[in-house]
């Protein structure tokens, strides 16, 4: 663990192992199983570092972020390989994950010299009115394993450039990735105590951070049920919480679409990262006229996807994160068989050496109805449901008929239909003629409905999660001037 600028062991002396999901015989490392007492020490260290950090000029804070981004870039290949080994995603995607961390570091480094507030005219003469952003204090950052470097960076970079200090609890499946990121943060020059990391379980470390009266803001990405529990706990202290939770993202394919392009987009969004993205496509809503040809293309292309270690060039689809994930995805197969027709896959893949890893075959169900369970519940694996509908209206209704609202997409050549989709789809991100994944770091990232609680990551919007607004009025008239009362004569 990293507390007050030192690498330390947990007070309880317990550890846990991180395993390679492509080959569980490969132990990536042993990590400290932190406790509430460790979290308290990290929070204390952060509090001690806060006054100096928030007094450091923001452009100077930004320079450290810039150095961190450069260090990530210099170490990109090493970081990506370590990520593939610990988390499983194929190397090209791991490089993308590191790149997303670099992108947000550079974007937020620039915020050190922007961080715009507003300057507006006062309604009274000789009076100045403006608003500025100020840090909230100690930020608790609780992150998932599926983007084990990008998401911690998405959260920590805006928190730090705006002058907050951080207590970071990474997912227990990817502590090594987190450690590598924090090592580079230390090397970049964040002062001791500004960034602290405590590894360990959500029940012990996560809850201690969420419940602490000395942690002022929480940013969490992960499972909806955990997010709801965090929101409830934090509400007792009216603590600011920003949540990025589940998704049930759909691609709509209209009958005029380029079906080859749609197939590319759907396969990449559904089976890339083995379906383990919040933005992954798990529903294809398709006009009846083109169901048959689209299904044929999806099936024949998905059949050719090669499973294996993400470190091999020959691999298209890596493993699931852990055996529990294989079990969970597997539990949806019987459900899907009852609801529709299993077209492809449907089982864990255990041929040869795959048996040592957590592999699941890319799976496609056809003939699914919008309200079926496989079309409603987040499976977080390589399972795609194809839902036939009569027309755009039915597609739009089906797309919106879910409790989530992260990402959506439409394939069409008709510009009028594209604009309808942009207007009608109830999601935080909409793609036209592209899959549901691949958000860039300079626009807001987040979802409607139960995908979140109204906050956004990335872009300028991320600053809102980590700052308080302060509105400032300076009266230089030398007399009492009453707003809304004086100076009210009709023009
Ligand atoms: C996530 O799955 O939580 O748009 C993040 C994307 C990536 C980020 C996904 N840039 O798919």
């Amino acid at each position: 663990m990293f507390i007050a600028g030192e690498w330390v062991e947990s007070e309880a002396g317990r550890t846990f192992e991180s395993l390679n999901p492509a080959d569980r015989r490969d132990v990536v490392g042993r990590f400290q199983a932190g406790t509430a007492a460790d979290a308290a020490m990290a929070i204390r260290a952060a509090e001690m570092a806060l006054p100096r950090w928030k007094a450091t000029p923001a452009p100077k804070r930004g320079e450290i972020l810039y150095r961190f981004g450069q260090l990530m870039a210099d170490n990109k290949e090493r970081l990506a390989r370590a990520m593939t080994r610990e988390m499983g995603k194929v190397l090209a995607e791991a490089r993308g994950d590191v790149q997303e961390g670099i992108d947000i570091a550079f974007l937020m480094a620039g915020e050190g010299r922007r961080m715009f507030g507003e300057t507006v005219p006062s309604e009274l003469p000789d009076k100045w009115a403006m608003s500025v952003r100020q840090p909230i204090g100690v930020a608790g950052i609780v992150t998932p394993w599926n983007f084990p470097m990008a998401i911690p960076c998405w959260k920590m970079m805006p928190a730090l450039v705006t002058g907050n200090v951080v207590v970071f609890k990474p997912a227990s499946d990817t502590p090594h990735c987190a450690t590598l990121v924090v090592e580079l943060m230390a090397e970049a020059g964040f002062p001791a105590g500004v960034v602290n990391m405590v590894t360990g379980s959500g029940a012990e470390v996560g809850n201690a951070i969420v419940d602490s009266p000395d942690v002022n803001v929480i940013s969490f990405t992960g499972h909806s049920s955990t997010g709801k529990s965090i929101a409830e706990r934090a509400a007792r202290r009216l603590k600011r919480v920003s949540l990025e939770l589940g998704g049930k993202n759909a691609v709509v394919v209209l009958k005029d679409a380029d079906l080859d392009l749609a197939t590319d987009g759907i396969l990449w969004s559904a089976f890339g990262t083995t379906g383990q993205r919040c933005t992954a496509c798990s529903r294809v809503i398709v006009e009846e006229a083109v169901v048959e040809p689209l299904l044929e293309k999806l099936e024949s292309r998905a059949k050719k996807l090669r499973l294996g270690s993400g470190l091999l060039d020959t691999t298209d689809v890596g493993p699931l994160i852990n055996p529990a994930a294989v079990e969970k995805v597997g539990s949806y197969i019987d459900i899907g068989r009852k609801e529709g027709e299993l077209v492809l896959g449907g089982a864990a893949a255990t041929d040869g050496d795959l048996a040592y890893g957590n592999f699941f075959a890319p799976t496609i169900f056809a003939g699914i109805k919008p309200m079926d369970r496989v079309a409603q519940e987040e499976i977080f694996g390589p399972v795609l449901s194809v839902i036939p509908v009569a027309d755009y209206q039915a597609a739009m209704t089906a797309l919106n008929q879910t409790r989530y609202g992260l990402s959506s997409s439409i394939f069409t050549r008709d510009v009028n239909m594209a604009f309808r989709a942009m207007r009608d789809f109830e999601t935080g991100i909409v793609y036209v003629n592209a899959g549901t994944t691949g958000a860039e770091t300079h626009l807001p990232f987040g979802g409607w409905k139960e995908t979140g609680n109204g906050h956004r990551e990335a872009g300028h919007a991320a600053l809102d999660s980590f700052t308080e607004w302060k509105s400032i009025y300076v009266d230089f008239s030398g007399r009492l001037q009453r707003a809304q009362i004086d100076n009210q004569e009709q023009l």
Side-chain angles (χ1 to χ4, degrees):
M1 305 186 301
F2 190 65
I3 299 179
E6 306 281 342
W7 290 97
V8 295
E9 298 190 348
S10 164
E11 49 94 34
R14 281 181 286 124
T15 58
F16 66 98
E17 285 182 344
S18 173
L19 306 180
N20 177 343
D23 184 345
R24 291 182 304 269
R25 297 168 299 181
D26 176 25
V27 179
V28 175
R30 283 183 190 77
F31 296 86
Q32 300 296 311
T35 63
D38 295 320
M41 274 181 49
I43 294 164
R44 183 86 194 108
E47 276 188 290
M48 304 267 289
L50 180 62
R52 257 190 76 194
W53 183 243
K54 76 176 181 194
T56 304
K60 288 280 151 205
R61 296 196 295 252
E63 282 172 22
I64 304 179
L65 270 76
Y66 182 78
R67 275 205 294 280
F68 167 70
Q70 193 55 52
L71 282 168
M72 291 269 286
D74 296 344
N75 287 276
K76 183 168 170 181
E77 195 57 23
R78 176 174 72 87
L79 295 171
R81 286 184 175 274
M83 186 188 305
T84 295
R85 181 176 170 212
E86 186 177 45
M87 182 274 164
K89 65 174 72 178
V90 297
L91 204 44
E93 293 187 33
R95 291 187 189 113
D97 191 314
V98 179
Q99 187 58 47
E100 212 161 334
I102 297 167
D103 293 346
I104 196 80
F106 287 162
L107 177 72
M108 288 297 154
E111 282 306 323
R113 286 188 185 269
R114 288 188 295 264
M115 221 181 286
F116 301 130
E118 294 169 305
T119 314
V120 294
S122 166
E123 65 189 46
L124 291 159
D126 299 328
K127 194 175 167 190
W128 178 265
M130 64 181 170
S131 64
V132 295
R133 290 184 187 275
Q134 295 211 321
I136 303 178
V138 178
I141 305 291
V142 184
T143 59
W145 46 263
N146 69 331
F147 276 78
M149 296 189 188
I151 291 181
C153 292
W154 279 11
K155 295 181 185 303
M156 289 196 277
M157 295 301 116
L160 290 166
V161 79
T162 49
N164 300 276
V165 288
V166 159
V167 177
F168 168 36
K169 193 218 91 68
S172 296
D173 284 299
T174 50
H176 183 50
C177 289
T179 303
L180 296 176
V181 168
V182 171
E183 269 176 6
L184 293 183
M185 292 178 89
E187 193 180 333
F190 287 100
V194 169
V195 179
N196 305 275
M197 179 186 75
V198 183
T199 47
S201 71
E204 286 207 50
V205 179
N207 284 345
I209 293 171
V210 171
D211 292 341
S212 166
D214 302 316
V215 175
N216 313 97
V217 50
I218 302 287
S219 179
F220 169 79
T221 296
H223 207 274
S224 290
S225 61
T226 316
K228 284 180 186 169
S229 133
I230 288 176
E232 279 172 17
R233 298 175 91 104
R236 291 179 206 144
R237 298 188 188 277
L238 297 178
K239 194 176 286 193
R240 178 100 56 104
V241 181
S242 118
L243 302 170
E244 280 305 333
L245 310 173
K248 194 69 197 174
N249 314 297
V251 169
V252 168
V253 182
L254 298 185
K255 55 180 182 289
D256 71 315
D258 175 340
L259 292 186
D260 289 317
L261 181 63
T263 302
D264 284 342
I266 293 164
L267 292 178
W268 171 238
S269 319
F271 301 129
T273 330
T274 323
Q276 302 172 106
R277 290 190 188 214
C278 309
T279 52
C281 164
S282 55
R283 302 184 289 156
V284 178
I285 303 170
V286 47
E287 274 192 303
E288 269 147 13
V290 290
V291 169
E292 281 315 313
L294 181 70
L295 248 178
E296 223 167 82
K297 286 177 194 293
L298 287 173
E299 191 190 342
S300 73
R301 292 268 309 278
K303 225 191 267 175
K304 296 195 191 109
L305 295 172
R306 294 156 300 178
L307 290 168
S309 159
L311 290 169
L312 304 173
D313 286 344
T314 47
T315 298
D316 299 307
V317 179
L320 290 170
I321 188 67
N322 55 34
V326 176
E327 202 159 300
K328 179 182 170 193
V329 174
S331 75
Y332 277 96
I333 302 305
D334 281 343
I335 298 169
R337 274 182 200 276
K338 285 189 199 114
E339 294 174 333
E341 182 202 344
L342 179 68
V343 177
L344 186 75
T350 53
D351 290 351
D353 280 354
L354 295 184
Y356 296 112
N358 314 314
F359 291 96
F360 205 97
T363 296
I364 300 177
F365 286 112
I368 297 295
K369 292 174 293 308
M371 297 310 285
D372 284 342
R373 280 187 65 190
V374 289
Q376 288 293 324
E377 297 173 22
E378 189 177 47
I379 301 173
F380 223 63
V383 180
L384 182 65
S385 293
V386 177
I387 304 169
V389 289
D391 52 19
Y392 170 79
Q393 195 60 29
M396 185 264 280
T397 305
L399 183 133
N400 288 337
Q401 245 171 13
T402 140
R403 72 179 116 115
Y404 298 113
L406 182 53
S407 182
S408 60
S409 124
I410 187 163
F411 282 88
T412 179
R413 289 168 166 131
D414 181 338
V415 71
N416 295 350
M417 299 316 274
F419 269 85
R420 279 181 202 175
M422 289 188 258
R423 179 194 62 197
D424 296 337
F425 290 2
E426 295 168 355
T427 57
I429 305 168
V430 178
Y431 290 91
V432 176
N433 291 329
T436 55
T437 64
E440 302 176 29
T441 58
H442 45 300
L443 279 184
F445 179 94
W448 293 20
K449 302 192 254 181
E450 286 191 31
T451 289
N453 62 344
H455 294 276
R456 290 291 183 271
E457 315 242 42
H460 293 294
L463 302 181
D464 293 331
S465 295
F466 295 105
T467 51
E468 290 283 11
W469 279 113
K470 185 179 278 180
S471 297
I472 302 174
Y473 302 95
V474 183
D475 192 318
F476 54 99
S477 69
R479 60 184 186 276
L480 173 68
Q481 299 198 89
R482 299 169 302 174
Q484 293 91 38
I485 296 172
D486 295 332
N487 206 22
Q488 286 300 304
E489 40 315 321
Q490 295 298 317
L491 290 175

